Amino acid sequence: DGGITQSPKYLFRKEGQNVTLSCEQNLNHDAMYWYRQDPGQGLRLIYYSQIVNDFQKGDIAEGYSVSREKKESFPLTVTSAQKNPTAFYLCASSIGGKTEAFFGQGTRLTVV
Amino acid sequence: GQNIDQPTEMTATEGAIVQINCTYQTSGFNGLFWYQQHAGEAPTFLSYNVLDGLEEKGRFSSFLSRSKGYSYLLLKELQMKDSASYLCAVRDGTGGFKTIFGAGTRLFVKA
């Protein structure tokens, strides 16, 4: 079955540690996105990538980094520079700019 | 600046009709999306409008007026399972695939 997979579903890390969230898709989509969602709020764009080996900052990129070495994969690293990393992180992909996004099930990151 | 506004919460009765409004101000426009999100889950796609007018899909319809920067999502024959957040999202027209989401409208359907 085609889809977009995020792992793990729940992640706990100590403050000051970097952590990498995985996102894999087998939909053959060119575009991939990372969003952050805080309780009771909408989605805020962290990074997006329109094609392999290219990515753009979203609205809240500070403290995060990404790579897009393969079409299927778009991992997100939450660095120690991110001041408030505890949140629900959603990865998504789309065929192009005018089509809907398909979302993964999300990773709930808690930093203690 | 870029801004998308939706009501924070709405309550409606099972079997009724509800309209969720969305107004937007973005640096460009390349389509408007509506997504449904149940608590703790991923958003799922409902509708896409790029031209003015009404798009109907079963119990759900979405309307767009580009000149007014306005859209609404219409849900008919409400069911309890429609209790969820509804997210309005605009893909900007600056040449990229950047999509901006509103904060979402939490809909409560009561019996």
Side-chain angles (χ1 to χ4, degrees), chain B residues 31-102:
Chain B
L32 186 142
F33 300 83
W34 284 96
Y35 290 85
Q36 180 190 62
Q37 185 180 26
H38 286 97
E41 298 182 9
T44 54
F45 170 75
L46 290 177
S47 69
Y48 171 65
N49 295 70
V50 66
L51 299 176
D52 291 352
L54 188 68
E55 295 281 341
E56 296 186 81
K57 194 186 289 186
R59 295 190 299 115
F60 295 80
S61 303
S62 57
F63 171 82
L64 175 67
S65 168
R66 289 172 296 170
S67 62
K68 296 182 179 178
Y70 169 69
S71 173
Y72 67 72
L73 179 70
L74 195 71
L75 292 76
K76 303 175 188 175
E77 301 169 16
L78 279 174
Q79 302 174 11
M80 300 299 287
K81 67 178 182 180
D82 296 329
S83 293
S85 287
Y86 291 86
L87 310 177
C88 175
V90 174
R91 188 152 286 162
D92 80 6
T94 57
F97 294 174
K98 187 176 179 181
T99 303
I100 305 298
F101 279 77

Side-chain angles (χ1 to χ4, degrees), chain A residues 19-66:
Chain A
V19 60
T20 297
L21 280 58
S22 169
C23 179
E24 303 278 332
Q25 54 99 359
N26 60 4
L27 300 167
N28 201 32
H29 287 174
D30 286 317
M32 296 188 75
Y33 314 82
W34 273 106
Y35 291 93
R36 168 184 173 138
Q37 187 172 36
D38 293 285
Q41 297 189 32
L43 280 61
R44 291 186 290 169
L45 183 63
I46 305 172
Y47 269 98
Y48 65 104
S49 168
Q50 296 176 198
I51 200 167
V52 175
N53 292 323
D54 182 64
F55 49 83
Q56 310 292 330
K57 290 183 179 180
D59 297 317
I60 56 166
E62 186 174 348
Y64 299 98
S65 66
V66 293

Side-chain angles (χ1 to χ4, degrees), chain A residues 2-6 23-25 27 32 91-93 102-105:
Chain A
I4 181 164
T5 303
Q6 290 185 244
C23 179
E24 303 278 332
Q25 54 99 359
L27 300 167
M32 296 188 75
C91 179
S93 69
F102 291 81
F103 285 83
Q105 289 304 302

Side-chain angles (χ1 to χ4, degrees), chain B residues 10-16 78-83 107-111:
Chain B
M10 299 182 71
T11 301
T13 304
E14 194 176 16
L78 279 174
Q79 302 174 11
M80 300 299 287
K81 67 178 182 180
D82 296 329
S83 293
L107 175 65
F108 298 93
V109 180
K110 58 182 183 179

